[in-house]
Amino acid sequence: MSLSDRPDGPCLVVGLGNPGPRYAATRHNVGQMVLDHIAEAAGGRFAAARRAPAVVLEGRLGIPGADQRVILAKSTGFMNTSGGPVKALADYYAIPAERVIIVHDEVDIPFDTLRLKRGGGEGGHNGLRDITKALGTKDYLRVRVGVGRPPGRADTADFVLSPFSSTERKDLPLLLSDAADAVEALVLEGLSAAQQRFHSREAR
């Protein structure tokens, strides 16, 4: 296993989504669902952040002595304004863009599929576009959680703001668990090793 691209220092992991119960179970909020899964598994609770409209949970991943400090964060604002909170948190914790991990929904890959990358385009994702603008770079890590494309001629914006189907909800817990594992792999093993693990998996 090569650790050449393993983050060297604390990481900021941000799950994207929209605030309030209206959006909580929608596809667009799957990034925040992943962070909720991580927090629940760790027995932690989010608390209001300092100097940013967000909630955060600080902790560590890995075995004691070889672990990595992480800050989990969820903006309390809307998806399209994610850049300000991400930039404020990165500045507050002195975390450079290359150690920022954004977990978000992705319509360009099938449901129940994960893709990991650093940099690249935003693919029409307004949350990512705002983060890129705020950070001044695209050189941050992304955990792309596949939600699939809308059926027929359905509008993409309406699709991502709608809840998962009953069939999808059956597989959603495992998808969230896999995405949480992908975050941990990025932090502890680096991008290349994490890609090898998760890109080799066939969609279930």
Side-chain angles (χ1 to χ4, degrees):
M1 174 178 66
S2 172
L3 297 182
S4 59
D5 59 354
R6 171 180 168 176
D8 183 19
C11 294
L12 172 63
V13 183
V14 182
L16 299 190
N18 287 310
R22 174 182 177 185
Y23 300 104
T26 65
R27 295 176 175 89
H28 222 22
N29 274 45
V30 73
Q32 294 195 352
M33 294 179 196
V34 173
L35 263 66
D36 287 338
H37 180 90
I38 297 173
E40 183 177 357
R45 298 181 64 180
F46 287 93
R50 299 175 181 174
R51 302 182 186 177
V55 291
V56 297
L57 171 60
E58 300 182 42
R60 306 188 79 87
L61 293 174
I63 60 174
D67 52 0
Q68 287 281 325
R69 181 172 175 239
V70 295
I71 298 93
L72 305 180
K74 301 186 295 181
S75 169
T76 53
F78 283 90
M79 172 81 77
N80 294 356
T81 60
S82 298
V86 172
K87 172 64 172 171
L89 290 167
D91 288 347
Y92 179 75
Y93 289 102
I95 296 176
E98 58 265 25
R99 296 207 304 268
V100 174
I101 301 172
I102 304 297
V103 188
H104 66 91
D105 61 306
E106 180 58 73
V107 297
D108 288 332
I109 57 178
F111 173 77
D112 206 16
T113 303
L114 299 175
R115 291 291 181 268
L116 315 177
K117 72 174 185 177
R118 180 189 297 281
E122 293 87 13
H125 196 293
N126 290 329
L128 294 178
R129 183 179 293 114
D130 200 57
I131 291 168
T132 296
K133 180 179 178 181
L135 294 178
T137 180
K138 298 181 179 183
D139 191 30
Y140 51 88
L141 292 160
R142 304 144 192 223
V143 176
R144 306 162 69 205
V145 184
V147 297
R149 299 202 64 83
R153 297 183 179 181
D155 181 75
T156 300
D158 291 339
F159 175 72
V160 297
L161 292 175
S162 63
F164 288 97
S165 69
S166 57
T167 300
E168 290 170 336
R169 285 196 296 272
K170 294 177 182 178
D171 293 326
L172 185 58
L174 188 53
L175 176 61
L176 298 180
S177 179
D178 283 349
D181 289 344
V183 169
E184 182 174 11
L186 276 177
V187 171
L188 298 178
E189 302 172 22
L191 178 60
S192 297
Q195 286 176 327
Q196 290 175 11
R197 283 180 55 189
F198 290 92
H199 291 189
S200 64
R201 299 183 180 185
E202 295 292 332
R204 289 179 296 273

